[in-house]
Amino acid sequence: MTTRPDCERLDAEDPLAALREQFVLPEGKIYLDGNSLGVLPRATAARVAQVVQHEWGEHLIESWNTAHWIELPQRVGNKIAQLVGAGPNELVVADSTSVNLFKVLSAALTMARADAPQRRAIVSERDNFPTDLYIAEALARERGFELALVDTPEQIGPRLARGDVAVLMLTQVNYRTGRLHDMAALTAAAHAAGALVVWDLAHTAGALPVHLKRDDADFAIGCGYKYLNGGPGAPAFVWVHPRHADRFWQPLAGWMGHAAPFAFDPGYRPAPGIARYLCGTPPVIQTAALECGVDTVLAAAPLGGMDALRSKSLALTELFMRLVGERCGSQGLSLVTPHDAPHRGSQVSYARAEGGYAIVQALIARGVVGDFRAPDILRFGLTPLTLRFVDVWDAVEQLRQVLESGEWRQERFHRKAAVT
Ligand SMILES: *Cc1c(COP(=O)(O)O)cnc(C)c1O
């Protein structure tokens, strides 16, 4: 049996322990939802106040130049690039994940149509995040493609082998189960079958090492408000392999993606490289906040960077699964996250036939914040930047008490809010 002092010892030996000082962590709360909304970095409030009061309030429009607002999408993009194995000037911050998916998927379809016009299928997984499927469905309708969904990862290979796949669109870590795809292997399989690959890094960027260039991905997008701690509604990012970036327009050809936005030319000329994937004016305040969040992840660089964060994340998720096994064994929770380290992201999820939503609500009332994903998943995100091993022990102890006491059956834990 693992004891709380065992966990205290793990914290004492944790080389990343000090990184948690970078955050405002509310007293009495164990936050297991950094995969949905990352915590607030200490630097953010002052930085946002500076942007609002000084840069905007005093210097007004001059700040586009003097405070370098206009360069924010590239500057913050270059920082994120370091976390996902992309080169300088290959990645920009812009828009939302959904909108960026629309842009890159559309560009990929345009490429496929030019290079292999007989290919009509966009392949994805039925349990991909719904916005990804909706965007793909809409684009497929618009552009005369077919969205083909597989039910298991094992079906991806055979589906590719049918020879009609234009684009394979995958989210690297499944939002419900936490299953992690092998980017190198699946990208190689898609390329061997003549298809392009779009990777959604929403639950990957800032959580585990990603090697977009090394693994030869074609397109990638990701989220700013999850493991990058950019704050609610933070802008997202978009990366296109340099071999593709200059080939085609993206569909949202706004002025910020023009080669010379301030020439005010009536005709569109795309900027070279990734800059053409910008559309309109960047959200300055939100992007400044995102930069603070990205800096909290980059702060791990001298301590081993994403590899060190991954080691701690695996140790946290492994501990969580072990403790639930030891302490909540007979309580109807079935692990849906793959147990093997190479196949799991930075979260642990359980299915439960009854009461999943209410159990999560009862935990939140006790200060342990996870979330529920319909129809039956209890989801616990474990962010290595902020969590201690004792937090995992305490969280599982609360879970044990909620389950054993049956307190989740109380009516107040069953009322559904708009956001789960
Ligand atoms: C969180 C998430 C999104 C969010 O998209 P928004 O445009 O920011 O709402 C998209 N895709 C996946 C896979 C996600 O996990």
Side-chain angles (χ1 to χ4, degrees):
M1 286 295 251
T2 312
T3 64
R4 197 172 190 280
D6 292 336
C7 297
E8 286 167 357
R9 214 167 308 120
L10 290 171
D11 284 321
E13 292 162 1
D14 174 13
L16 304 182
L19 291 173
R20 133 188 193 94
E21 306 300 325
Q22 301 181 97
F23 299 94
V24 178
L25 297 169
E27 200 67 35
K29 211 170 244 182
I30 300 176
Y31 191 67
L32 307 181
D33 225 346
N35 54 325
S36 208
L37 175 64
V39 295
L40 172 65
R42 280 191 197 284
T44 304
R47 175 69 185 123
V48 167
Q50 182 194 31
V51 172
V52 172
Q53 290 165 1
H54 179 69
E55 297 179 7
W56 177 19
E58 291 172 32
H59 297 280
L60 291 164
I61 202 161
E62 291 163 59
S63 285
W64 283 106
N65 292 312
T66 56
H68 308 284
W69 286 352
I70 200 70
E71 296 153 27
L72 271 173
Q74 278 89 357
R75 184 170 85 216
V76 183
N78 281 334
K79 290 185 173 186
I80 296 172
Q82 296 170 40
L83 303 175
V84 295
N89 305 317
E90 291 178 7
L91 186 152
V92 287
V93 165
D95 303 314
S96 66
T97 306
S98 305
V99 171
N100 286 330
L101 178 61
F102 180 85
K103 293 187 285 193
V104 298
L105 185 57
S106 174
L109 296 179
T110 303
M111 270 180 65
R113 180 157 286 164
D115 297 342
Q118 77 289 0
R119 293 174 175 273
R120 316 291 327 147
I122 303 167
V123 169
S124 193
E125 295 178 282
R126 196 174 305 282
D127 66 350
N128 196 347
F129 192 81
T131 201
D132 297 49
L133 298 180
Y134 303 158
I135 295 281
E137 187 181 352
L139 263 173
R141 290 169 72 120
E142 193 94 356
R143 304 282 301 273
F145 284 78
E146 165 217 0
L147 177 61
L149 301 179
V150 298
D151 292 305
T152 67
E154 292 69 33
Q155 292 170 359
I156 294 171
R159 188 64 190 77
L160 287 169
R162 280 168 50 182
D164 66 338
V165 181
V167 179
L168 175 63
M169 179 189 88
L170 294 173
T171 298
Q172 197 186 8
V173 172
N174 183 280
Y175 74 106
R176 264 205 206 96
T177 64
R179 186 194 163 107
L180 168 65
H181 280 308
D182 181 338
M183 180 180 285
L186 281 163
T187 302
H191 288 172
L196 295 160
V197 192
V198 172
W199 285 102
D200 187 331
L201 306 179
H203 291 272
T204 320
L208 47 107
V210 179
H211 303 282
L212 286 171
K213 284 289 268 300
R214 188 195 74 186
D215 292 348
D216 205 31
D218 297 299
F219 300 88
I221 52 163
C223 191
Y225 53 79
K226 292 173 179 162
Y227 292 97
L228 296 179
N229 305 317
F237 66 86
V238 51
W239 172 84
V240 178
H241 194 290
R243 70 173 168 253
H244 304 316
D246 287 323
R247 278 196 67 193
F248 293 99
W249 294 17
Q250 56 102 347
L252 302 180
W255 69 311
M256 286 294 149
H258 193 280
F262 291 90
F264 296 104
D265 192 330
Y268 184 70
R269 265 186 305 126
I274 193 65
R276 72 181 55 189
Y277 281 81
L278 299 173
C279 180
T281 304
V284 169
I285 301 167
Q286 279 281 3
T287 310
L290 173 59
E291 185 167 28
C292 295
V294 173
D295 285 344
T296 64
V297 188
L298 285 171
L303 304 166
M306 289 311 308
D307 289 326
L309 287 169
R310 174 66 168 160
S311 300
K312 181 172 174 188
S313 154
L314 286 173
L316 290 167
T317 49
E318 153 66 28
L319 175 67
F320 193 95
M321 292 186 289
R322 177 152 37 96
L323 287 170
V324 170
E326 287 174 4
R327 303 173 63 76
C328 311
S330 58
Q331 293 292 341
L333 296 173
S334 53
L335 183 68
V336 295
T337 301
H339 191 271
D340 291 349
H343 302 301
R344 67 175 197 265
S346 201
Q347 72 186 58
V348 180
S349 301
Y350 295 90
R352 195 172 192 279
E354 190 197 1
Y357 177 81
I359 292 164
V360 169
Q361 296 311 305
L363 277 171
I364 292 171
R366 286 167 169 263
V368 177
V369 182
D371 61 22
F372 172 75
R373 284 293 173 263
D376 60 353
I377 304 279
L378 295 84
R379 185 173 76 155
F380 304 99
L382 297 153
T383 48
L385 277 176
T386 59
L387 277 180
R388 296 170 301 200
F389 292 93
V390 281
D391 295 327
V392 173
W393 204 94
D394 292 341
V396 175
E397 172 58 16
Q398 297 292 337
L399 177 61
R400 186 189 68 77
Q401 290 181 21
V402 164
L403 289 167
E404 283 183 11
S405 68
E407 76 188 36
W408 59 271
R409 294 183 189 278
Q410 294 169 31
E411 200 266 308
R412 63 188 172 121
F413 296 132
H414 292 257
R415 276 178 233 128
K416 287 255 160 88
V419 175
T420 59

